Amino acid sequence: MAEHHTGPAEVGAPMDYEEHEQTYSMFLAAAKYGTLFLVALLLGMAAGFFTGAGFLGGLVVLLIVFVAGLVLLR
């Protein structure tokens, strides 16, 4: 059967909140810029495959969208 504990749930070392906040900030930045890159990549691929732009045109679209996103997300 389940054991019933009445003491504190955390018995390990004290939590380092500063390190936790830094890690969370890095995770948010990676998610934000990773999403931006994937959106720019998809737009560049769409421009390259479905229009007459070709590979170089798609690459230019990717770079323009990525740089514009970096400026807007600051």
Side-chain angles (χ1 to χ4, degrees), residues 29-52:
K32 180 170 65 170
Y33 294 116
T35 302
L36 170 64
F37 177 74
L38 290 177
V39 168
L41 179 64
L42 287 175
L43 289 173
M45 288 171 59
F49 291 144
F50 300 123
T51 66

Side-chain angles (χ1 to χ4, degrees), residues 62-72:
L62 177 133
L63 291 174
I64 289 172
V65 170
F66 188 68
V67 169
L70 287 177
V71 169
L72 291 174

Side-chain angles (χ1 to χ4, degrees), residues 14-46:
M15 192 166 171
D16 187 2
Y17 288 103
E18 183 179 335
E19 185 68 28
H20 172 75
E21 289 176 0
Q22 288 176 353
T23 303
Y24 186 64
S25 295
M26 287 190 297
F27 169 76
L28 287 180
K32 180 170 65 170
Y33 294 116
T35 302
L36 170 64
F37 177 74
L38 290 177
V39 168
L41 179 64
L42 287 175
L43 289 173
M45 288 171 59

